[in-house]
Amino acid sequence: MTQEEVFKNLTAHCKEYGFVFQSSEIYDGLSAVYDYGQNGVELKNNIKRYWWEAMTRLHENIVGIDSAIFMHPRIWEASGHVAAFNDPLIDNRDSKKRYRADVLIEEYLAKLEDKIKKEVEKGRKKFGDSFDEAQFLATNPNVLRTQAKWDEVHNRMVKALNDNDLNEMRQIIIDSDIVCPISGTKNWTEVRKFNLMFSTQLGNISGEDGTIYLRPETAQGIFVNYLNVQKTGRMKIPFGIAQIGKAFRNEIVARQFIFRMREFEQMEMQFFIQPGTELDWFAKWKETRLKWHKAMGLGDEKYRFHDHDKLAHYANAATDIEFEFPFGFKELEGIHSRTDFDLGNHQKYSGRKIQYFDPERNENYTPYVIETSIGLDRCFLAVLSSSYHEEKLENGEERVVLSIPAALAPVKAAILPLVKKDGLPEKAREIMDILKFDFNCQYDEKDSIGKRYRRQDAIGTPFCITIDHDTLNDNCVTIRERDSMKQDRIAIDRLHEILQSQTSMTSLLVKN
Ligand code: ATP
C-alpha cells in the first residue's frame, strides 16, 4: 500500500472511531476546520498534559498562563503581523486554484531530491556490494545535473524570499516548468501577498477603529504579560512562560487533513534570557525539545532538524523539528531565537518600560527570547500516523491497531465481562469502580470477545481486562496487551499497580 493510501485510510479511521470529524459536516463541512470527537479529545488532552507537565513541572523556572484570544489591535502592529504576516500567492488561470508560491517551489525541490534518491537506488542495484554511495553522488552525471538544478532553484528561492521579490518567485516557477497539479498548465497569474490574519469588529465601534484580530499565534499573549508574570512571580532570568491555546490563520493552501488548519492549537513557550546568551540557549532548547518528542517512542528516525534559510523578521536563528508524516518530512515544531524584537517593540508601541533589572549585573536590559512553538494538532497527527497499523494475524484475520504510547491513549483499559450473565457484569463493574478514579476505563459487554478486542485495538486501548467464570472463584482476570496481544492471568489486586506503571504520564516524563 502506498503512503497516500495509508493516509487516506487513517483519515477515514479517524472519523469512524470518533477521533476527528469535519467541522459542520451536516452542512457539507467548513474547509480546513475540524472537530475532535470522543476519542480525539482524550488523546489531545493527554498530549497537552504531557507538554504542560514537561514544560512547567520539570522546569522550576517555567510557569504557565492562559491569555485571551482577543487582544489590543496595536499588539499586531508591534509584532509585525499587520505589515508582514503574508504568504506569497499565485493562481492558475485554468484550474482557478490558488497556491503558495514558495510551497510550489519547495515541492518541485522535493521532486528533484526524490529523483536523486532513485538514481542512488538504481546504482545500488547495479553495482551490488561494491556500491560506494558517496562516490556515486560525486560522479554520476544524472545526479550531478539534478543536484546543480536543485542548488540553482534553491538559491534563487532563498534570495527571492529574503528580498521579498514576488516577480522573481513567479519567474522561478516559470523557469522550472512547474505546472498546476490540477490543470497541468503553466498559465500562472502574478504573485501577490495575502495577510493571514482573520479580523472582526469589537462591540459597537464601527470602521477601522473597531477592527480586532483573532490571534494568529499565542506568543504575543505571553510577551504582553511578561511584566505581570515577572513581577508577581518574582521570576529571575533565565525564566520561561508557557501557554496552550487556539490560534487562527486564514490559510489559503489548506490541505493534508489536520496538518494545516484555519483554527488550530499551539503549545508555545517563551524563554527570557540575558542578551548574548541566546545561541547557547537556542542549542539547549533544540536538544530539550527533541528529547521530549523522542520520549514518546514514535521512532527516533522520524525526526530531523531543518534550519531556516530565510529568517523571519524577528529571528536571529531558527530551526524546525520536522516529522516524517505519511506525506513526507514536514514542520512539527519551530524553535526561534527572537532576540528582543517583541519586547522591544511592545515597549515602543505601548510606551511602557519593559525591562529586567539584573541584580547580579546591577543593570537594566530588555531580555532576549528563545521560543519553542509546537502545533498540538500536528503532534496529534504525528502520534496517530505513526501508530496506525493494518495487520494480518497468524490466524488469517486482519486488524487495525493504533499503537499509541500508552500514556497518551484515550482509554487505558477496557473492562470486558466474557458473557452478559452469571454475575460477570456485576464483577466487572466492581473492577471498574476500583480503577475509574485513576484511569479512563471503558466498560463493554456487547458482541463476542474477539469483536470487542478489535474495537479496543482500533482506538489504541493498551489493555483489555476480561472477567470470566473463574474470576468469581479465584479473583483473577485475563489481561491482554494491545500490541503483542499477549494474555496473562493476574490477580485483580494487581491491576491498579500494572496500569499505573504502564500507562501513567510519569512513564513519559522520566525520559525527558
Ligand atoms: P508552516 O510553514 O507549516 O506554515 P509556520 O512556520 O508558519 O508553519 P509557526 O508560525 O512557526 O509555523 O507556528 C508554530 C507551529 O504551529 C508550527 O510548527 C505548526 O506545528 C503549528 N501550525 C502553524 N500553522 C498551522 C496550521 N495552519 N495548522 C496547524 N498547525 C499549524
Side-chain angles (χ1 to χ4, degrees), residues 85 87 100 102-103 106 196 216-217 248-249 251 258-268 308 314 320-321 330-336 371-379:
F85 193 52
D87 275 345
R100 259 172 65 177
D102 56 332
V103 171
E106 270 168 12
L196 297 177
E217 61 176 29
F248 304 83
R249 296 183 186 180
E251 300 277 4
I258 56 171
F259 181 80
R260 192 174 294 288
M261 300 151 90
R262 298 204 164 101
E263 171 180 342
F264 58 101
E265 226 165 322
Q266 289 185 315
M267 307 192 285
E268 297 199 297
H308 284 203
Y314 51 75
D320 294 337
I321 296 178
K330 295 273 184 235
E331 173 175 346
L332 170 59
E333 169 157 4
I335 301 170
H336 310 120
E371 163 183 84
T372 70
S373 171
I374 170 173
L376 174 54
D377 313 271
R378 284 190 193 177
C379 192

Side-chain angles (χ1 to χ4, degrees), residues 159-172:
K159 186 165 183 326
L161 284 171
N162 280 324
D163 297 348
N164 237 328
D165 187 344
L166 301 182
N167 290 337
E168 171 66 358
M169 292 292 285
R170 177 172 192 272
Q171 202 52 47
I172 299 170

Side-chain angles (χ1 to χ4, degrees), residues 405-424:
L408 303 179
V411 178
K412 303 299 186 221
I415 318 281
L416 316 171
L418 191 61
V419 290
K420 246 193 282 187
K421 52 182 187 185
D422 305 338
L424 300 191

